[in-house]
Amino acid sequence: MNRTLWIGIATALLVAGCGMPEAGYSGKMASVDTAEAAAYESESADALMSALAEADGSGNAADRANGATKRRIIYQTRLSMVVEDYQVFEAKLPQLVRDHDGFVSNAETNRRFRDEQSGTWVVRVPVDRYDGFLAGVMGLGFAESRKEDAQDVTEEYVDVESRIKNSQRLEQRMVDLLEERSGKLSDVLEIERELARVREEIERMQGRLRVLADRTTLATVTIQCREERKYTPPAAPTFTSRIGQSWSHSLASLRLTAENAVVLAVGAVPWLVVGGFVLLPTVWWWRRRRRRRRQG
């Protein structure tokens, strides 16, 4: 129990004792009150700094209980879409995003192939509009794959929020201490350094809290879309289809090997020509020299 609470209890008992006939009891409580107040007022800066340090690391159970009433969840989804007309998809998606109070944080489109355009969109939408937005996007084409991830950060959010409140209380106590107390210059400088450290920690935690609030308020949906004019959704493979796929893959591998061999041969022709220009004079000179040695 801290000293302030002791002073409050002593004062209340003193007021209650004033209506009693026992003057000695009242005087005793008044002396206790005075002694406590004097001890509190004479407390050194070092002792106060120790108490403040304890308050800095302590948690507030009530704050944690109140913060835990609302779940904080980060929603992330990746969609792989196939559409017949990419330009239609590209025109409808921004309107769908606006209808759900979201925004496009990043977009990239590849138009190198006229009939096979593709793109990647990163969309942020409010969590309460998340399901409706996903349903709307999947209505624009065929969803080949969908991966959802939900990360519960409620505990971290409540912990950071509680630490911020405790640090702010600590900051205010330090400010009051600097305004009300006059002591050694070294004590004042020590309190100011500690105050600067606490404020820096508060700013850092507030930044982390803003990040968590943003990611838990807005869901992130990454959409990878490609255009395919005559797209047929894949069906469950049968024995016949597996044989056909194996035969097709073998032919494709054989064709690729033959193409690579032809490319390698064509690429070797310039080297053979250059090598011939270099080696033929050398061989001719070596054979002529050898012939002369035999004749000699």
Side-chain angles (χ1 to χ4, degrees):
M1 185 177 297
N2 57 40
R3 295 181 180 276
T4 304
L5 184 58
W6 275 113
I7 294 172
I9 294 175
T11 304
L13 292 175
L14 178 61
V15 174
C18 289
M20 297 180 181
E22 292 85 350
Y25 179 79
S26 176
K28 181 179 180 181
M29 290 304 299
S31 63
V32 171
D33 183 22
T34 304
E36 290 288 347
Y40 176 71
E41 290 298 331
S42 62
E43 193 173 29
S44 65
D46 293 337
L48 285 176
M49 289 298 298
S50 176
L52 292 175
E54 293 179 1
D56 185 21
S58 64
N60 191 308
D63 292 339
R64 294 176 182 273
N66 294 333
T69 57
K70 181 180 180 181
R71 307 300 297 178
R72 297 283 180 171
I73 301 176
I74 298 175
Y75 292 98
Q76 292 180 318
T77 299
R78 297 188 67 89
L79 281 176
S80 179
M81 301 285 299
V82 180
V83 297
E84 293 184 358
D85 193 334
Y86 182 80
Q87 293 183 354
V88 174
F89 174 84
E90 190 177 26
K92 290 184 177 180
L93 183 61
Q95 183 60 47
L96 182 65
V97 173
R98 288 191 293 269
D99 291 342
H100 290 81
D101 299 329
F103 65 93
V104 178
S105 64
N106 188 23
E108 180 182 355
T109 298
N110 181 5
R111 303 185 189 278
R112 289 179 296 178
F113 304 100
R114 179 175 298 178
D115 295 333
E116 296 181 0
Q117 300 182 69
S118 62
T120 302
W121 301 70
V122 180
V123 180
R124 305 294 306 281
V125 293
V127 172
D128 56 350
R129 310 295 299 274
Y130 169 69
D131 293 331
F133 176 74
L134 287 183
V137 172
M138 289 189 291
L140 299 178
F142 178 78
E144 278 190 317
S145 64
R146 172 178 172 178
K147 180 181 179 181
E148 295 187 56
D149 180 34
Q151 181 184 358
D152 191 346
V153 293
T154 306
E155 183 177 356
E156 180 183 1
Y157 188 93
V158 173
D159 180 68
V160 173
E161 194 175 39
S162 178
R163 287 169 62 86
I164 290 175
K165 292 179 180 179
N166 290 333
S167 297
Q168 287 174 339
R169 284 193 289 266
L170 175 62
E171 177 189 20
Q172 186 59 47
R173 292 176 65 182
M174 287 183 172
V175 172
D176 296 340
L177 182 63
L178 288 175
E179 292 177 352
E180 297 174 0
R181 296 263 175 174
S182 60
K184 296 180 181 180
L185 180 60
S186 59
D187 294 337
V188 175
L189 293 177
E190 179 65 24
I191 296 175
E192 289 182 346
R193 283 194 293 267
E194 187 68 14
L195 180 60
R197 183 194 67 81
V198 171
R199 284 175 174 171
E200 181 180 357
E201 184 177 358
I202 290 174
E203 292 176 357
R204 180 180 58 81
M205 291 188 295
Q206 286 175 339
R208 177 57 181 169
L209 195 67
R210 283 192 294 268
V211 171
L212 291 175
D214 174 73
R215 298 186 65 187
T216 56
T217 303
L218 299 174
T220 303
V221 182
T222 302
I223 305 167
Q224 295 178 327
C225 180
R226 78 174 192 275
E227 181 181 79
E228 192 168 333
R229 297 288 182 178
K230 298 179 181 180
Y231 176 75
T232 302
T238 61
F239 180 71
T240 305
S241 64
R242 291 171 60 190
I243 293 177
Q245 290 179 358
S246 178
W247 177 260
S248 299
H249 291 164
S250 297
L251 291 178
S253 299
L254 182 61
R255 183 182 64 182
L256 182 61
T257 302
E259 290 176 353
N260 291 336
V262 172
V263 171
L264 180 62
V266 173
V269 170
W271 293 94
L272 294 175
V273 174
V274 174
F277 279 110
V278 174
L279 291 176
L280 285 177
T282 304
V283 172
W284 176 82
W285 176 83
W286 181 79
R287 293 182 64 179
R288 184 179 178 181
R289 183 180 178 183
R290 185 178 180 184
R291 190 182 302 113
R292 287 180 179 181
R293 287 182 178 179
R294 287 180 180 179
Q295 292 177 357

